[in-house]
Amino acid sequence: DPYPLLFRKAFDTTGDEGAETLRLLVQERDYLRNLHHPNIVKFIAYEESDDHCKAYLFTEYCNGGDLSKFVRKDLGNSKVKEPQRRLSKREVWQIFSDLAAAVAYLHYGVIKEDNSFSLKTDWKPVIHRDIKPANGEFLLVLRLSIIIVVISKFKADLPTYKLCDLGIAKIWDPAVNQTRRGRGTTAYMPKEVKEQLKRWTPRGDVYSLGATIRKLEKEFNDVTLTSLIAQCTDDSPLKRPSSLTLLQIAREELAAASQMESPSFLPDRPNEMDYILQAIIELLERLCHSFKIIGKDLRKHLTEKINTLLEDGRLRSADCWGLDRSLPLKLVLGKVNKAEALALDGNTSWECPWNTYGLTPRDIIDHDGPSPSF
C-alpha cells in the first residue's frame, strides 16, 4: 500500500451551514478525484455517515505540516512569533518550483513527468482561489520505526511541497464571467478581487502564490526572487507573469542554487526556448494536425488555449517572439477572413516551425473555412 497513513478531514453537515459545507466538500472531492499531480495532495476516498450528519474526505497524509511554520507572525502589541526555522535560498526556490508546477498544471494542464513536462490537449483551466501558506502542505520524508511515511519515489533529502484544499476551486472559462468575487483569504487576495472590481482569474492565483512566497522570503537578499514576487503581486493583473513563467524561473533558479544544469521543459524542445513559446508551438502543431484529422470542437479548444498563451507571452516578448506578425498564425487562429486567406498561395504549405504537417491555406478553407476568432 503506497499510503500506509491517510489524512481524514471530518465535516459537520448539519445546521444552517451544513448544506453549503457539504456542497464545498463534494466540490473538493470531485476536483481532487480528477487531478493527478505530484504537487497536489492525492485524493483517496470520500464517505458520509449513515445519519448524514458527518462527511469525510480522505487524502494522502503529509506529515510535514504546512508552510505557516516558516512565517514570522505579528501577534500585536509589538510582539512577534519567530518561525520555527529559517529557510535557505535553495529551499525557497524549491517551494516556489513545486507550487508553480501545481498551479501551471491547474491553469494549463502541464503534466509533470520525472524531469520534464507534457501538455494535456483537452484540459479545462482550474483556478484555486485560496493559495496561502497554510494551504501549501509539504511531504517530508521521515523514517519511522516500522514504515516510511512517504511514497517511495521521493528522495530523503528533498521534501515535496503540495497544494491542497480545493474547496473553492473553479473551472475557469475566459469567455464566461462566472467566478464569484470575494472568495478566498483576504491577506492573499488580489486587489481586483478584494475591492470587487473583477472576478478571479488565473492571474489572481499568481498573486496569491507570490504573496505566499513573500511571507517566506525574509532572511536573504535575492534580487531575482524579490523582483518576481513584486511582479506577481502587482496591482494590475495584466502585469503579473503567468504560472508557466513562474515555473520556468523557479526551476532555473533552483537548478542554479543546487549547482545543477538548467532543466528541460517539453521533450524535443530547446532548453533555451521560453516555456510559453514551447507550449504555443506544441499546441500549434496539434492544431495544424487537427485540421486534417479531427473536428471543429477540439480546434476551438486549442485555439482558445493558444490565444491565452499568446496573451501571456506578450509580457515576455512585446510581439510574442514575432508570432503576432505571422499571417499563417492569424489564419490558423481564425483572425484572417476568407478573402485574405484566398489571396495567399492556397496550395503551398507554410515554412513555420510549428507547421510540421504541411498545412496550407486551402486545407483551412476546405475544413469549414477559417475558424472564428475567440
Side-chain angles (χ1 to χ4, degrees), residues 275-295:
Y275 283 16
I276 293 177
L277 182 56
Q278 289 187 48
I280 290 172
I281 292 176
E282 176 82 14
L283 294 177
L284 278 170
E285 288 181 357
R286 297 180 193 179
L287 181 59
C288 289
H289 185 53
S290 76
F291 275 97
K292 296 185 176 182
I293 301 298
I294 55 180

Side-chain angles (χ1 to χ4, degrees), residues 134-160:
N135 273 355
E137 292 192 352
F138 73 89
L139 185 84
L140 178 60
V141 177
L142 178 63
R143 289 188 176 273
L144 300 180
S145 56
I146 302 175
I147 57 175
I148 301 175
V149 189
V150 65
I151 305 173
S152 60
K153 67 180 180 180
F154 292 117
K155 298 179 180 179
D157 61 338
L158 290 178
T160 299

